[in-house]
Amino acid sequence: MAAHNSAVGEQAPVKVSAKAPPASEGKGSAKKPAVKPSAARPESRLAMVRRARRINRELAEIYPYAHPELDFRNPFELLVATVLSAQTTDLRVNQTTPALFAAYPTPEDMAAAAPEDLEELIRPTGFFRAKSRSLLGLSQALRDNFGGEVPGRIEDLVTLPGVGRKTANVVLGNAFGVPGITVDTHFGRLVRRWKWTEQEDPEKVEAEICAIFPKSEWTMLSHRVVFHGRRICHARKPACGACPIAPLCPAYGEGETDPEKARKLLKYEKGGQPGQRLTPPPDYPGLPAPPLGSASA
């Protein structure tokens, strides 16, 4: 799976002033917090949980259309796409999978594929030899051990080649409706910036974040945080001046705080650009991604 970004520079936990403006105000161009959070007093566990849940509520308003950004029509397609997404973008996966699933629509079909043919189809996603081995192995396991069906239990999913907890939670949450936290690069980076956890290990991050939120929120929380990380709270230069949750963020100021300059850093629909899915949900406010080989791809 994709390597996790290191946490940003250590800061003492902070308590946000109750007089800070609601984060939902001015979503088009976030304002600098009216009162700069003080780092003098450590934030209590209860205060952190309240702040974390408020951030989740604000993200739900900012991204009511949050969704998995991999194109899929069934659990098998989502499983394969998620395995392919390691060390590449969802966009590149979505541009690659139409031809892949046209050639191998079922686990049985993929299990019988010639390795060199499979490798050629998934070459655009990178690390195609290792990914081909994983796809052949998981397809054969699905065929031989699960009757050609993707299992709906994490205990079974993680037995498949190339499938860890991150991939399993993606499949369970989005193909089976089983709540789960998906700790990818963006998720880990943001929850550390927000001081929800100091953990680096994905499983420890998952456990600590699960303890903050009710189970019913886990899957959508994952989507909202990842959406925010891809669109506004970037790894190298966060668009702090355009961030609607700036009043709640202990890391405010690590990125560009000037509203006009920050708006130029926004990505995907927030920046007026295509998203990552070729077939986005009907409520997605942005543009569909271009197919592989098109002039804008």
Side-chain angles (χ1 to χ4, degrees):
M1 292 300 160
H4 289 259
N5 294 61
S6 297
V8 297
E10 292 288 340
Q11 295 182 354
V14 299
K15 184 172 183 179
V16 178
S17 168
K19 295 182 180 180
S24 58
E25 291 182 3
K27 288 184 171 56
S29 58
K31 298 179 181 179
K32 183 178 179 180
V35 179
K36 185 175 179 61
S38 170
R41 185 188 306 170
E43 185 180 45
S44 69
R45 165 77 181 179
L46 178 59
M48 183 275 289
V49 169
R50 286 174 173 170
R51 179 171 58 83
R53 293 183 177 185
R54 184 177 171 193
I55 287 176
N56 182 43
R57 292 193 299 271
E58 296 291 344
L59 291 178
E61 292 186 16
I62 298 163
Y63 307 108
Y65 50 86
H67 59 271
E69 294 192 87
L70 291 168
D71 288 329
F72 69 99
R73 296 169 296 184
N74 55 57
F76 176 63
E77 289 190 358
L78 179 56
L79 176 62
V80 169
T82 307
V83 170
L84 291 177
S85 70
Q87 303 294 330
T88 191
T89 64
D90 287 356
L91 170 59
R92 184 59 72 193
V93 174
N94 292 336
Q95 292 171 326
T96 301
T97 50
L100 176 66
F101 295 136
Y104 310 114
T106 69
E108 291 83 357
D109 294 323
M110 192 169 288
E116 59 272 18
D117 294 339
L118 185 57
E119 288 175 6
E120 189 60 31
L121 282 170
I122 66 173
R123 182 182 291 267
T125 69
F127 301 95
F128 57 91
R129 290 189 178 89
K131 290 178 181 180
S132 175
R133 289 193 293 271
S134 292
L135 295 186
L136 287 171
L138 72 83
S139 298
Q140 291 163 3
L142 291 175
R143 178 195 63 192
D144 299 341
N145 303 331
F146 298 100
E149 300 291 334
V150 176
R153 299 194 318 149
I154 195 167
E155 298 87 350
D156 295 326
L157 284 168
V158 295
T159 67
L160 302 173
V163 178
R165 286 190 65 88
K166 171 194 160 185
T167 297
N169 279 326
V170 170
V171 173
L172 290 173
N174 298 289
F176 293 99
V178 177
I181 294 287
T182 301
V183 182
D184 72 352
T185 304
H186 303 286
F187 190 94
R189 179 178 75 251
L190 267 62
V191 298
R192 285 187 288 271
R193 275 183 177 166
W194 294 337
K195 304 300 181 185
W196 294 0
T197 181
E198 295 181 353
Q199 299 293 338
E200 295 282 346
D201 178 80
E203 289 194 25
K204 292 180 180 179
V205 171
E206 179 186 344
E208 291 201 358
I209 304 307
C210 283
I212 297 174
F213 296 93
K215 193 172 184 179
S216 60
E217 288 291 309
W218 291 353
T219 299
M220 286 309 302
L221 171 71
S222 299
H223 293 322
R224 294 165 191 152
V225 173
V226 171
F227 257 57
H228 195 64
R230 285 174 169 166
R231 286 150 179 79
I232 297 177
C233 194
H234 311 135
R236 295 182 180 176
K237 199 168 186 181
C240 294
C243 181
I245 62 168
L248 300 170
C249 182
Y252 176 83
E254 292 185 2
E256 179 59 65
T257 58
D258 180 85
E260 291 302 320
K261 293 179 180 179
R263 273 195 288 272
K264 295 178 181 179
L265 300 174
L266 302 181
K267 296 182 179 178
Y268 304 111
E269 77 282 356
K270 293 296 183 184
Q273 302 154 357
Q276 300 202 84
R277 292 189 69 165
L278 277 66
T279 57
D283 63 343
Y284 179 65
L287 302 170
L292 192 66
S294 67
S296 56

